[in-house]
Amino acid sequence: MGARTELRMLLAKASPLRSGDQLAGLAARTQEERVRAQMELADTALQRFLDEPVVPYETDEVTRLIVDTHDQAAFEPVRGLSVGQFREHLLAYGTGPAELRALAPGITPEMAAAVTKLMGNQDLVLVAKKISVVTRFRNTLGLPGHLAVRLQPNHPTDDPRAIAASMLDGLLMGAGDAVIGINPASDNVASLEHLVRLIDELVTTYGIPTQSCVLGHVTTQIAAIARGVPVDLVFQSIAGTQAANASFGIDLKLLGEARAAALSLKRGTVGDDVMYFETGQGSCLSADAHHGVDQQTLEARAYAVARAFSPLLVNTVVGFIGPEYLADGKQIIRAGLEDHFCGKLLGLPMGCDVCHTNHAAADQDDMDVLLTLLGVAGVNYIMGVPGADDIMLSYQSTSFHDAHYVRQVLGAKPAPEFAAWLERMGISGADGKLRAAAGDSALLRHRLLSSSAR
């Protein structure tokens, strides 16, 4: 058995139990086997993850990206540590936000994944809370003490009046500062253009300091930009291996072209972070592109792809792929905390779609727990879906009211520019509390629905 295979197996067997690793035949068979693997992993040098890539360098461009862009100077302070010592370093009182920001370029995804396997849920919350990753386009996201919301007004037929009504509902609940983002029912340039212009009209008419995104395939978005469509953010789902990304119809070169196209429009007002990525544990396994590596380590590798393109938003859609990969509420909660921790440690602006499918052994109580834990951990943003039920994608997420709950309980604010807009519109007061009348909401509703119907 080669050293590379041994390292892959060690990471897999040290992982907390999840159904995806069982499906792949990688999981520890017993808790005793898992603990033995964790003990061995704790004594493994961080340097080993640079010396022995878990996916071959020669055949995988994600591995080449990780190795070729690794910052040796940033890695120097922890170069001599084992994974167990690295955990203690991260948890230490003296390891603060500035040090963690400086360390990020020196940490590989495999190092981040490895240390999570030695950490409890509270460890993942504590370290992630230390890290703030701030990004900007038309507003400022990720500041300490703030929590943004993606307003997600999906509709199964892309009905403009239904989408407009959902946007209004979300705005009146203080949602939409992360992005107003629609998953289109039809992925073609004409449909994407219609939806982009619908959001753009709303944002322009009311001077809303936020950004829009229609989550078509990246090639559709590039084609729309070439036609002069006012695209703000370019979206793409990404994964942790070259083969899995190929199953999405993308590679690193294409993502670079997409970013350049979006930047050419110069639509940002306070920054130029133009990319929006979504990920999820299990995507590589579902594409038969996992190379014998556990799903959490591969998820962390997807963050290396994201990191290369300076995104405004990265979102782990944690329970969306289904129970074949995360079987129940316990596994979804754990995965959400792992993903958020790894992304933040690697320097990414992490959000989380706190979600589950209806055939998983999870319910809204589980989602409330994960939502609260992520809020405490300093997640950049969450989803805002009407009634928490996405009627187009057929899964359960978090509602506008859920977002308002976590802002209240943690004293978190929307993005500062967006908070000022909410106050100007009479939707919230200076104290951040929503007003019952929500300003002139009747007029806003009339104008919004009327314009969308044209």
Side-chain angles (χ1 to χ4, degrees):
M1 184 183 296
R4 179 178 292 159
T5 302
E6 289 175 356
L7 188 56
R8 288 201 304 260
M9 290 179 60
L10 181 62
L11 287 165
K13 293 188 183 302
S15 295
L17 181 65
R18 61 208 58 201
S19 52
D21 291 339
Q22 290 177 308
L23 179 66
L26 301 173
R29 291 164 294 181
T30 66
Q31 183 63 11
E32 289 77 10
E33 184 180 16
R34 181 171 295 107
V35 171
R36 286 197 298 270
Q38 289 170 337
M39 292 174 67
E40 182 178 345
L41 183 62
D43 292 333
T44 299
L46 292 179
Q47 179 65 40
R48 185 177 175 190
F49 295 98
L50 293 170
D51 298 338
E52 302 173 22
V54 297
V55 180
Y57 179 94
E58 298 77 13
T59 59
D60 187 272
E61 69 172 0
V62 177
T63 299
R64 292 194 291 275
L65 174 69
I66 292 167
V67 173
D68 295 348
T69 62
H70 180 250
D71 188 327
Q72 292 284 349
F75 181 56
E76 192 60 38
V78 297
R79 181 182 301 276
L81 300 185
S82 68
V83 177
Q85 291 169 330
F86 184 43
R87 172 186 177 273
E88 297 305 311
H89 176 72
L90 294 174
L91 290 166
Y93 288 129
T95 305
E99 182 173 358
L100 290 170
R101 281 194 299 272
L103 185 62
I107 301 303
T108 69
E110 292 84 355
M111 294 175 196
V115 77
T116 68
K117 301 175 194 302
L118 306 182
M119 300 174 83
N121 287 358
Q122 62 183 244
D123 298 335
L124 299 174
V125 170
L126 177 58
V127 176
K129 181 68 171 180
K130 298 181 182 184
I131 305 169
S132 296
V133 181
V134 179
T135 56
R136 296 175 175 87
F137 188 73
R138 286 207 194 93
N139 57 25
T140 306
L141 301 172
L143 293 169
H146 292 71
L147 174 67
V149 184
R150 170 186 161 183
L151 203 172
Q152 185 170 307
N154 296 343
H155 190 270
T157 63
D158 289 339
D159 184 295
R161 289 179 63 85
I163 289 171
S166 293
M167 288 195 291
L168 172 66
D169 189 17
L171 290 168
L172 295 180
M173 287 294 296
D177 47 344
V179 63
I180 302 177
I182 302 172
N183 296 88
S186 301
D187 191 358
N188 58 70
V189 175
S191 176
L192 185 139
E193 178 174 0
H194 177 71
L195 294 174
V196 168
R197 293 193 184 280
L198 171 63
I199 308 174
D200 187 59
E201 181 182 358
L202 171 69
V203 169
T204 301
T205 299
Y206 293 98
I208 307 173
T210 191
Q211 35 280 329
S212 68
C213 187
V214 177
L215 284 67
H217 190 268
V218 66
T219 53
T220 307
Q221 296 166 89
I222 293 172
I225 291 171
R227 283 178 47 169
V229 177
V231 171
D232 286 345
L233 306 184
V234 170
F235 162 82
Q236 183 55 48
S237 294
I238 56 174
T241 68
Q242 179 176 336
N245 284 324
S247 75
F248 290 149
I250 63 166
D251 58 21
L252 299 180
K253 181 175 181 291
L254 181 61
L255 294 178
E257 293 170 359
R259 182 171 183 266
L263 285 171
S264 73
L265 298 182
K266 297 180 169 44
R267 292 181 57 79
T269 56
V270 299
D272 59 2
D273 298 319
V274 295
M275 301 299 286
Y276 174 18
F277 295 117
E278 287 189 347
T279 67
Q281 288 194 28
S283 58
C284 293
L285 176 57
S286 69
D288 193 24
H290 60 93
H291 297 275
V293 181
D294 69 276
Q295 67 182 39
Q296 190 256 327
T297 299
L298 292 172
E299 171 71 3
R301 283 170 55 92
Y303 303 152
V305 176
R307 184 166 64 174
F309 299 99
S310 303
L312 182 78
L313 306 165
V314 180
N315 176 37
T316 169
V317 193
V318 66
F320 182 75
I321 299 182
E324 300 84 359
Y325 308 97
L326 297 170
D328 54 28
K330 181 180 177 66
Q331 292 185 17
I332 292 171
I333 290 168
R334 173 70 190 188
L337 296 177
E338 290 170 346
D339 296 351
H340 178 251
F341 165 87
C342 285
K344 282 287 186 69
L345 188 63
L346 293 168
L348 289 175
M350 289 302 297
C352 183
D353 192 341
V354 179
C355 64
H356 65 94
T357 56
N358 289 316
H359 60 311
D363 58 25
Q364 201 60 46
D365 289 339
D366 297 316
M367 299 305 100
D368 286 349
V369 170
L370 178 54
L371 171 63
T372 305
L373 288 169
L374 286 169
V376 173
V379 71
N380 278 30
Y381 70 102
I382 59 169
M383 304 300 109
V385 177
D389 183 6
D390 192 304
I391 60 174
M392 197 276 278
L393 295 174
S394 299
Y395 78 114
Q396 307 303 306
S397 185
T398 45
S399 70
F400 306 134
H401 288 80
D402 294 331
H404 186 50
Y405 144 75
V406 78
R407 279 176 174 167
Q408 286 184 87
V409 78
L410 297 174
K413 302 174 183 178
E417 301 90 343
F418 192 80
W421 179 83
L422 292 173
E423 186 177 350
R424 286 198 306 272
M425 294 295 293
I427 295 171
S428 66
D431 58 3
K433 294 181 180 178
L434 296 175
R435 292 180 175 172
D440 195 5
S441 59
L443 176 61
L444 181 60
R445 180 181 296 107
H446 171 74
R447 292 186 62 185
L448 178 55
L449 294 178
S450 297
S451 65
S452 70
R454 289 200 296 268

